[in-house]
Amino acid sequence: DDHSAGFYVHNDYLQIALETGIPGFLFLTAILFVTAFRFSKVIRIVNHDAPQRIIFISLFAGLFSVAFHSIFSFNLYILPVMLLVGLFLGHFNYLADLLQNAPTKQWQPSVVFRPFVYYFCVAIMAFTLFSYFATLGFAYHYQQYAYRLALDGNLKDAHQAYRLAQILDPRTDSAYYADANLLRKIALVLDDRPDLVNTLLDEAIILLDRAEELNPLRPNTPYIRGLIVEQYPDADKTEVIDAYQSALSRDPRFLPARIALARYLIKLDKNDAANQLLREGLEFSYRQVTPSYLELIELNHAAAERTGNTELAHNLSAIFNNCLLY
């Protein structure tokens, strides 16, 4: 069910262990244990009337909640959360030193370095961070903008917007396969220009290759590849089927690929294989009622009527009506 190419296992401790090995896991847990040990040590000696006491407890509660929730999520891979945790941890240790009357050393770069060097380094760091986050934000904006343009029928500008998103964030696969699908749709309305159609489809395949390289687990990419290969005048039947099956091997619940493969098998007069494929789709649970799910029910209903399975047809009809009510 995960579409992130397996980047996140929804458990930060397991994730750290997978990526860095046992040393990384021990280092992370050491930070947690040291923080908990310091809290227990300070809270025993601090005066109940100390004004910083409630802030100190609150900071530890915030850090503990993130640490506990990270058993079920990937907080430590979300940059805003990491920044907040860093601020919490820094202020926590500052208050711990204050409450323990511990000797501290302060290092002020603005005093050590010349003003020009100091401000130049700060400006470079700020510009680097801003550039990174700004490009990610603009890439997301242009991808959403391209989607809206495509819905409005402005396909040329949508293609340009997708290209901008790819330039700004070349590591995200969604902008590539979405652009490939857009080129495929443009080719559909250019039947009278076969050379241009082939050029567009070839370009779409290149985009899909890039998306596949970035994220080899997303089912959308082979599904769109199957649609594109099917559009070629001399389509390779085996390649089309393999592409759809690859999408289903990544996510058996990915209904667009299941339906597309079933329709293609029917087109090749392989009705038994198509019926079996559609029946297999009913064995899975789905999170919500979508147009693809309704189409799956309809196709199975038509197959049941065609094969004379009246009981299944009746049950599917009832399911379809309940879905419409839902």
Side-chain angles (χ1 to χ4, degrees):
D1 293 336
D2 184 72
H3 293 164
S4 69
F7 294 152
Y8 310 114
V9 296
H10 290 265
N11 183 316
D12 273 333
Y13 307 103
L14 178 58
Q15 185 78 32
I16 292 292
L18 288 170
E19 293 189 6
T20 65
I22 299 301
F25 173 76
L26 293 177
F27 183 72
L28 174 63
T29 52
I31 295 173
L32 301 178
F33 281 115
V34 167
T35 302
F37 175 76
R38 190 164 201 202
F39 173 76
S40 65
K41 183 178 179 181
V42 172
I43 205 67
R44 286 198 302 266
I45 65 172
V46 69
N47 191 331
H48 282 254
D49 297 329
Q52 297 91 350
R53 185 175 186 272
I54 187 64
I55 302 175
F56 183 69
I57 294 173
S58 300
L59 288 169
F60 180 77
L63 291 168
F64 177 79
S65 65
V66 173
F68 181 76
H69 187 242
S70 294
I71 299 173
F72 313 102
S73 187
F74 44 88
N75 295 307
L76 302 184
Y77 285 77
I78 301 173
L79 290 176
V81 176
M82 282 292 290
L83 291 172
L84 191 61
V85 167
L87 291 172
F88 273 35
L89 192 58
H91 198 51
F92 172 86
N93 283 291
Y94 167 76
L95 286 179
D97 291 338
L98 192 66
L99 293 169
Q100 286 182 298
N101 294 317
T104 59
K105 292 182 180 180
Q106 294 186 356
W107 182 66
Q108 295 179 290
S110 59
V111 176
V112 177
F113 298 103
R114 291 182 177 182
F116 172 77
V117 175
Y118 172 73
Y119 287 116
F120 178 77
C121 292
V122 169
I124 290 295
M125 291 173 61
F127 177 76
T128 302
L129 290 172
F130 175 79
S131 300
Y132 174 72
F133 290 113
T135 52
L136 288 181
F138 279 116
Y140 178 78
H141 164 74
Y142 278 111
Q143 190 168 342
Q144 297 301 311
Y145 181 55
Y147 178 74
R148 292 194 298 271
L149 287 173
L151 288 179
D152 293 337
N154 195 344
L155 304 183
K156 182 179 179 181
D157 289 342
H159 175 57
Q160 294 301 323
Y162 276 129
R163 283 300 170 89
L164 276 173
Q166 294 162 21
I167 293 171
L168 290 168
D169 185 12
R171 300 294 301 172
T172 300
D173 67 317
S174 56
Y176 291 95
Y177 72 72
D179 193 19
N181 196 35
L182 178 69
L183 293 179
R184 178 189 70 83
K185 292 178 180 178
I186 294 174
L188 285 173
V189 299
L190 296 174
D191 290 338
D192 56 333
R193 303 176 65 181
D195 292 339
L196 182 56
V197 167
N198 286 338
T199 300
L200 289 172
L201 295 180
D202 290 344
E203 186 177 350
I205 291 295
I206 294 173
L207 290 170
L208 288 179
D209 290 340
R210 176 59 177 160
E212 190 85 17
E213 179 184 348
L214 291 171
N215 189 341
L217 297 182
R218 196 188 294 272
N220 306 61
T221 308
Y223 161 65
I224 295 171
R225 187 184 297 276
L227 294 175
I228 291 173
V229 175
E230 192 174 346
Q231 260 180 251
Y232 278 102
D234 53 346
D236 186 334
K237 299 181 178 61
T238 303
E239 188 176 353
V240 174
I241 293 172
D242 288 346
Y244 291 141
Q245 287 179 339
S246 177
L248 290 176
S249 68
R250 298 177 186 187
D251 183 3
R253 294 181 177 87
F254 191 65
L255 289 177
R258 186 174 297 276
I259 291 170
L261 178 55
R263 291 189 181 280
Y264 191 68
L265 291 173
I266 292 172
K267 183 179 176 181
L268 298 177
D269 292 328
K270 297 182 178 181
N271 293 326
D272 292 340
N275 292 343
Q276 181 181 352
L277 183 72
L278 292 170
R279 287 285 296 274
E280 288 173 355
L282 294 175
E283 298 175 2
F284 298 97
S285 59
Y286 299 92
R287 296 177 180 176
Q288 57 185 349
V289 176
T290 62
S292 295
Y293 180 70
L294 294 177
E295 190 174 0
L296 176 71
I297 300 298
E298 282 187 302
L299 289 172
N300 272 288
H301 182 268
E305 285 191 330
R306 186 168 57 250
T307 57
N309 193 338
T310 55
E311 183 180 358
L312 178 60
H314 176 75
N315 292 337
L316 291 173
S317 180
I319 293 174
F320 184 80
N321 292 331
N322 288 334
C323 289
L324 292 180
L325 291 174
Y326 175 79

